Amino acid sequence: MKFFADTSDLDAIADLADLGMLDGVTTNPSIIAKSGKDFIPLIQEICKICPDAPVSAEVASTDFEIMMKEGDKLAAIADNIAVKVPLTEAGLKVCKNLSNNGTMVNVTLCFSPLQALLAAKAGAAFISPFVGRLDDIGLTGMDLIAEILNIYDNYPEFHTEVLVASVRHPQHIRESALLGADVVTCPPDVIKKLYKHPLTDNGLAGFVADWKKTGQSIL
Ligand code: G3P
């Protein structure tokens, strides 16, 4: 399973890279707006931190012609850019055009298996189903992931990776891993929660205390 950081925070991205838990980065217009920084330079900085990992940068327009121009500009930033487009008719057309030209495309705002089917047919490199937002309205977001993986498994010609998005807590990651999702994109603090367990902490405290009693040193 690949871990993508769902953030534009350069320090948090670098921290995950140092931890060896960074396989990519995703952003969206809301994340960029929250950063308060200029979009293109910020994406350039992110691409420098992880030059070999996909960095998703989303188009801003909803018009096909403008989206195509935005997508071409974003793709030109770096070789590891994945252009993010919404799951709309125009977004699918942009996905088809850009992917035919060899550009990675991440199709986002996916909320149904049939949307994911269209994204795969359009040549998307990644599909981003938003599990947290489905949970928010009383549905079960992980059911969508299961259906998409089931559909994709039926068609070997599909090469779209399932990128679980709108991840809110470790259970989303656990269930994604059990289902075999390709990628989860998470706020960095959610990834950092994965190694925490009270029994680990208690056990380590016991080991440290008992070792201290030996009066020995390994070095
Ligand atoms: O990658 C999509 C993600 O940023 C959306 O998350 O919490 O706004 O649903 P959220």
Side-chain angles (χ1 to χ4, degrees):
M1 171 180 272
K2 287 178 268 190
F3 286 169
F4 287 12
D6 195 34
T7 185
S8 64
D9 182 318
L10 298 176
D11 292 336
I13 293 168
D15 180 48
L16 283 176
D18 291 344
L19 191 58
M21 294 296 164
L22 185 76
D23 300 305
V25 176
T26 55
T27 68
N28 61 41
S30 301
I31 287 174
I32 299 303
K34 185 181 173 186
S35 77
K37 296 184 178 179
D38 290 341
F39 182 31
I40 302 295
L42 181 56
I43 295 297
Q44 289 170 331
E45 285 304 309
I46 294 173
C47 288
K48 287 175 188 170
I49 295 173
C50 50
D52 302 318
V55 173
S56 290
E58 189 161 343
V59 298
S61 177
T62 57
D63 172 80
F64 170 73
E65 299 296 338
I66 300 173
M67 290 163 83
M68 278 302 299
K69 291 174 183 170
E70 290 176 337
D72 286 336
K73 183 170 182 180
L74 293 175
I77 292 172
D79 291 341
N80 56 318
I81 286 287
V83 175
K84 224 179 185 184
V85 298
L87 216 154
T88 60
E89 183 173 342
L92 290 170
K93 281 175 67 177
V94 171
C95 179
K96 191 68 182 172
N97 280 275
L98 290 180
S99 59
N100 283 346
N101 295 336
T103 297
M104 279 191 290
V105 180
N106 178 355
V107 179
T108 190
L109 287 170
C110 172
F111 294 97
S112 85
L114 294 176
Q115 285 181 320
L117 176 61
L118 295 182
K121 286 181 66 64
F126 303 104
I127 182 68
S128 292
F130 279 31
V131 296
R133 294 193 189 185
L134 287 167
D135 292 354
D136 290 344
I137 62 169
L139 299 175
T140 305
M142 294 312 299
D143 288 348
L144 172 58
I145 303 303
E147 286 193 17
I148 294 171
L149 288 167
N150 189 350
I151 289 169
Y152 282 12
D153 284 349
N154 292 335
Y155 301 97
E157 67 271 26
F158 288 170
H159 302 295
T160 302
E161 291 189 75
V162 178
L163 191 166
V164 182
S166 186
V167 168
R168 301 282 171 77
H169 47 67
Q171 284 309 311
H172 279 150
I173 300 173
R174 173 180 170 273
E175 291 178 52
S176 295
L178 288 169
L179 287 170
D182 302 284
V183 188
V184 288
T185 193
C186 318
D189 66 304
V190 174
I191 296 175
K192 299 292 282 283
K193 286 176 182 173
L194 297 181
Y195 60 75
K196 297 295 287 178
H197 196 293
L199 290 182
T200 301
D201 295 343
N202 291 345
L204 181 58
F207 287 163
V208 168
D210 289 344
W211 177 254
K212 194 172 181 180
K213 291 172 189 168
T214 71
Q216 298 181 59
S217 171
I218 294 173
L219 300 179

